[in-house]
């Protein structure tokens, strides 16, 4: 057969396959390890609310019928809790689905999309798919968001500014004052997309969701949220966007598949919202363990970035890919960063106390094997 790649658009050929991380089955089969700490994908170690077990015991009817294509019951609940109109809420098959929907709707060939760097790969990939041009705003030496550079990027009036806050993979975030300054600097020609996948972990005085700050500002915006992280529903694939106005949201609805979120995911998200105690417990456990891990890492000479997520971005002082391979042999899955300038960093999710100790032990052990790490 002839080489089929000539059929494919250049924008797709130039994208790297998404690095989704390893499954437990793959690691078990390849490394013959019994106990595995899966700390590569920022999942919630407590899993979903126990309320979901009841839902799943009676799943036949949900599986048989087509879902509500808009997920109206869930949208209405979300709209009420955020004080917006239900027409301003859009559901996605995970929030990554909505990143694609937004890029398909807005990005034309040659458009500039500004984002933070190191980046969440899908913010760049869906831009590239549409023929857009990425402008990266790198973090500072201290691994914080470079406000001056971000404001300079905004002043050039990109088609879109899309970034995560708290920021994946680093964990840093914009203070409420910085966010207010950024919003004031934005022009109505630029669509602001704030990906708040980790907002539930960040709540407190030092962090503010963009939703409350953007209302009534007269610029177009989308804030993305997900049930995959703090709600523990990563496998069900459901996320949502809050959009500046219903008219803009209607256009995004045209760019998705009609039944993009399934009935089981919609019902599970509603059940998760019914159990706020489980959310609080998940968030508190993650924060306590994150701080314990950060201290333990610092004690052994590893610098990690300030983080308000359920993960740490750690300078391992050597090839992160090599270290991650050594950790896999010891039953620990982490994500080695591969973007230029950050190849000495791993992103490790906060698991249960046992998983985190497993990681710390494996790290000490792996370090003894390889080259002596360079310490900062
Ligand atoms: C995990 C993550 C997502 C993906 O969430 P899904 O709802 O599972 O698609 C989106 N954005 C960021 C920044 C994330 O870290």
């Amino acid at each position: 057969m002839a080489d089929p790649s000539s059929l494919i658009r250049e924008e797709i050929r130039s994208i790297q396959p998404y690095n989704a991380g390893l499954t437990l089955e793959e690691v078990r089969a390849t490394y013959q390890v019994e106990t595995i700490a899966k700390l590569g994908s920022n999942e919630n170690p407590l899993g979903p609310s126990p309320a979901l077990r009841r839902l799943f015991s009676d799943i036949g009817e949900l599986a048989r019928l087509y879902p509500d294509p808009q997920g109206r019951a869930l949208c209405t609940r979300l709209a009420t809790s955020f004080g917006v109109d239900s027409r301003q809420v859009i559901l996605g098959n995970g929030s990554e689905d909505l990143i694609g929907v937004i890029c398909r709707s807005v990005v034309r060939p040659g458009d500039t999309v500004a984002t933070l760097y190191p980046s969440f790969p899908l913010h760049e990939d869906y831009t590239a798919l549409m023929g857009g041009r990425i402008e990266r705003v790198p973090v500072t030496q201290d691994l914080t968001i470079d406000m001056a550079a971000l404001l300079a990027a905004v002043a050039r009036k990109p088609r879109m500014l899309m970034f995560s806050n708290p920021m994946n993979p680093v964990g840093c975030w914009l203070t409420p004052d910085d966010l207010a300054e950024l919003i004031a600097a934005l022009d109505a020609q630029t669509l602001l997309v704030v990906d708040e996948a980790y907002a539930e972990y960040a709540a407190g005085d030092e962090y503010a969701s963009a939703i409350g700050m953007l209302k009534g500002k007269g610029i177009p915006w989308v804030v993305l949220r997900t049930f995959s992280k703090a709600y523990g529903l990563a496998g069900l694939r459901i996320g949502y966007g809050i959009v500046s106005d219903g008219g803009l949201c209607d256009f995004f609805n045209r760019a998705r598949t009609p039944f993009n979120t399934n009935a089981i995911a919609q019902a599970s998200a509603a059940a998760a919202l019914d159990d706020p105690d489980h959310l609080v417990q998940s968030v508190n456990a993650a924060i306590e363990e994150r701080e314990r891990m950060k201290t333990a890492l610092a004690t052994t000479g590893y610098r990690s970035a300030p983080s308000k997520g359920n993960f740490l971005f750690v300078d391992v002082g050597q090839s992160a890919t090599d270290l991650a391979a050594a950790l896999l042999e010891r039953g620990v899955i982490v994500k080695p960063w591969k973007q230029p300038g950050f190849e000495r960093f791993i992103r490790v999710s906060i698991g249960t106390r046992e998983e985190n100790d497993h990681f710390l032990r494996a790290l000490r052990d792996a370090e003894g094997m390889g080259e002596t790490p360079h310490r900062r």
Side-chain angles (χ1 to χ4, degrees):
M1 202 179 102
D3 176 8
S5 69
S6 62
L7 274 176
I8 301 299
R9 286 169 46 214
E10 173 55 31
E11 288 84 351
I12 293 189
R13 279 186 277 150
S14 64
I15 284 177
Q16 294 299 313
Y18 185 69
N19 173 14
L22 296 166
T23 62
L24 293 174
E25 289 69 24
E26 285 172 299
V27 173
R28 229 168 254 136
T30 313
Y31 297 93
Q32 272 88 47
V33 276
E34 290 280 307
T35 318
I36 299 170
K38 186 173 187 295
L39 304 177
S41 301
N42 295 350
E43 292 132 335
N44 179 345
L46 303 191
S49 158
L52 265 80
R53 253 168 251 143
R54 292 190 287 280
L55 181 71
F56 279 97
S57 66
D58 185 27
I59 214 157
E61 225 16 35
L62 285 175
R64 188 176 73 82
L65 301 173
Y66 273 101
D68 179 334
Q70 267 95 45
R72 273 165 290 208
L74 182 58
C75 285
T76 302
R77 280 192 66 161
L78 292 167
T80 305
S81 75
F82 289 107
V84 299
D85 192 274
S86 62
R87 262 185 77 211
Q88 289 173 260
V89 186
I90 181 171
L91 301 184
N93 187 26
S95 54
E96 58 192 29
D97 178 29
L98 295 175
I99 298 170
V101 163
I102 294 164
C103 289
R104 282 200 293 284
S105 303
V106 168
V107 179
R108 293 135 172 99
D111 275 354
T112 300
V113 174
T115 193
L116 299 176
Y117 184 81
S119 54
F120 183 59
L122 296 179
H123 295 165
E124 297 198 349
D125 292 349
Y126 287 121
T127 295
L129 273 178
M130 300 316 299
R133 205 183 59 79
I134 282 288
E135 184 179 338
R136 292 171 165 175
V137 178
V139 292
T140 65
Q141 287 291 319
D142 299 334
L143 302 171
T144 58
I145 295 174
D146 187 339
M147 259 306 276
L150 192 55
L151 290 171
V154 160
R156 291 188 282 274
K157 300 193 194 334
R159 173 76 69 187
M160 184 159 80
L161 170 64
M162 182 188 273
F163 66 97
S164 48
N165 186 39
M167 191 260 223
N168 179 10
V170 176
C172 54
W173 66 97
L174 282 175
T175 63
D177 285 349
D178 284 348
L179 185 57
E181 191 180 349
L182 178 70
I183 291 168
L186 277 158
D187 186 275
Q189 291 171 39
T190 298
L191 175 67
L192 172 66
V193 181
V194 188
D195 184 341
E196 294 188 344
Y198 302 96
E200 292 86 357
Y201 293 102
D205 293 344
E206 296 171 338
Y207 175 86
S209 165
I211 300 170
M213 303 182 80
L214 281 163
K215 284 183 198 164
K217 285 288 189 295
I219 54 168
W221 54 267
V222 185
V223 173
L224 297 176
R225 293 285 187 100
T226 182
F227 286 96
S228 297
K229 306 286 162 55
Y231 288 98
L233 305 186
L236 287 171
R237 312 306 306 127
I238 186 155
Y240 59 98
I242 308 288
V243 183
S244 50
D245 70 279
L248 183 58
C249 195
D250 286 345
F251 286 120
F252 294 142
N253 274 307
R254 297 184 201 178
R256 63 174 176 83
T257 55
F259 298 101
N260 64 336
T261 61
N262 68 76
I264 296 165
Q266 288 179 22
S268 301
L273 291 173
D274 283 335
D275 189 355
D277 290 349
H278 183 73
L279 178 69
V280 170
Q281 199 190 333
S282 298
V283 166
N284 289 347
I287 293 172
E288 190 182 322
E289 276 296 289
R290 182 187 68 209
E291 295 313 306
R292 186 180 74 88
M293 280 252 272
K294 198 172 162 59
T295 307
L297 286 165
T299 309
T300 27
Y302 290 100
R303 180 175 77 124
S304 54
S307 173
K308 284 214 182 284
N310 65 338
F311 55 88
L312 288 170
F313 197 52
V314 188
D315 183 352
V316 295
Q318 59 171 303
S319 156
T321 305
D322 293 351
L323 179 72
L327 291 175
L328 276 174
E329 287 172 11
R330 293 162 178 81
V332 178
I333 308 173
V334 300
K335 192 163 268 196
W337 217 253
K338 297 192 194 272
Q339 288 179 315
F342 295 91
E343 302 99 327
R344 287 169 170 255
F345 286 82
I346 60 164
R347 193 197 65 197
V348 56
S349 309
I350 307 303
T352 60
R353 178 170 260 266
E354 293 69 36
E355 289 172 315
N356 300 334
D357 283 338
H358 182 170
F359 161 71
L360 291 168
R361 264 196 317 275
L363 183 64
R364 270 193 297 274
D365 190 37
E367 187 187 299
M369 310 270 96
E371 56 172 296
T372 313
H374 144 96
R375 298 289 177 74
R376 293 201 224 178

